[in-house]
Amino acid sequence: MNINIICIGKIKDKYINEGIAEFSKRMTSFANFNIIELKEYNKEDSMNISIDKESQDILKQLSKSNSYNILLDLNGKELSSEDMSEYIEDLKNKGTSSINFIIGGSNGVNKELKNSVDMKLKFSHFTFPHQLMRLILLEQIYRWFAISNNIKYHK
């Protein structure tokens, strides 16, 4: 299976990069894993223009593959770790070979992107910094695979 995290911007904090490196290494046991970092525009443009530019860049990435696309979204579906593990296993059993997890920019994504994905997933009612969310997502992806492979990581 191929797992991609498509996200906006680069990680600046060393401790987050170290966590991402650790879970990226662990993921190699389960899947081909890749992080695709796209340009952050909000420093140069108005908010609506930056949202559209970032969303279009993400849509270009999605058009390059025949993947199942999951957008992290505040209005998305909430699942437990066990349920999400089962959901991914079900996708694999149905022949899905690639999953893209999408983290939009700090200002969000446009309606076109929201309407283009296969699933919207909500992690929490809390607000997380985008850089930290990338690490949280990666840890959860590892957890989902650990659950489905009966590895004693998830308690």
Side-chain angles (χ1 to χ4, degrees):
M1 171 153 276
N2 297 306
I3 301 290
N4 300 306
I5 295 178
I6 300 172
C7 47
I8 301 298
K10 298 202 178 293
I11 300 293
K12 297 172 182 97
D13 294 318
K14 182 180 176 185
Y15 76 96
I16 295 175
N17 275 319
E18 289 170 352
I20 288 170
E22 176 62 30
F23 284 105
S24 295
K25 184 174 77 175
R26 292 182 189 191
M27 279 299 299
T28 60
S29 302
F30 306 120
N32 296 321
F33 178 73
N34 191 31
I35 296 175
I36 301 165
E37 293 180 332
L38 302 175
K39 182 177 179 179
E40 182 177 22
Y41 287 96
N42 65 354
K43 296 176 184 170
E44 311 154 2
D45 298 310
S46 73
M47 186 170 57
N48 288 336
I49 291 173
S50 67
I51 289 170
D52 281 337
K53 285 182 176 181
E54 290 168 354
S55 296
Q56 288 305 314
D57 287 351
I58 293 169
L59 284 163
K60 285 177 195 170
Q61 287 296 318
L62 301 183
S63 70
K64 293 180 182 180
S65 66
N66 187 21
S67 299
Y68 192 86
N69 299 307
I70 300 173
L71 174 67
L72 274 57
D73 186 273
L74 292 173
N75 296 312
K77 187 175 189 175
E78 291 182 272
L79 296 171
S80 68
S81 293
E82 294 87 350
D83 289 341
M84 193 62 191
S85 175
E86 193 174 302
Y87 192 86
I88 290 174
E89 277 301 305
D90 189 47
L91 288 173
K92 283 174 35 179
N93 292 336
K94 290 179 179 175
T96 301
S97 61
S98 185
I99 300 174
N100 293 323
F101 290 92
I102 303 151
I103 304 173
S106 59
N107 295 317
V109 298
N110 66 17
K111 285 183 183 179
E112 181 183 1
L113 177 55
K114 285 185 180 191
N115 292 332
S116 297
V117 298
D118 300 297
M119 177 187 190
K120 295 176 199 86
L121 181 64
K122 179 177 183 171
F123 262 66
S124 173
H125 290 281
F126 295 124
T127 301
F128 298 104
H130 276 64
Q131 291 185 13
L132 185 57
M133 191 63 226
R134 196 177 312 178
L135 174 57
I136 293 168
L137 171 61
L138 182 49
E139 186 278 336
Q140 282 297 297
I141 293 170
Y142 175 76
R143 181 178 300 273
W144 302 330
F145 277 91
I147 291 168
S148 62
N149 287 281
N150 296 315
I151 293 174
K152 291 185 179 189
Y153 174 77
H154 177 70
K155 295 178 183 176

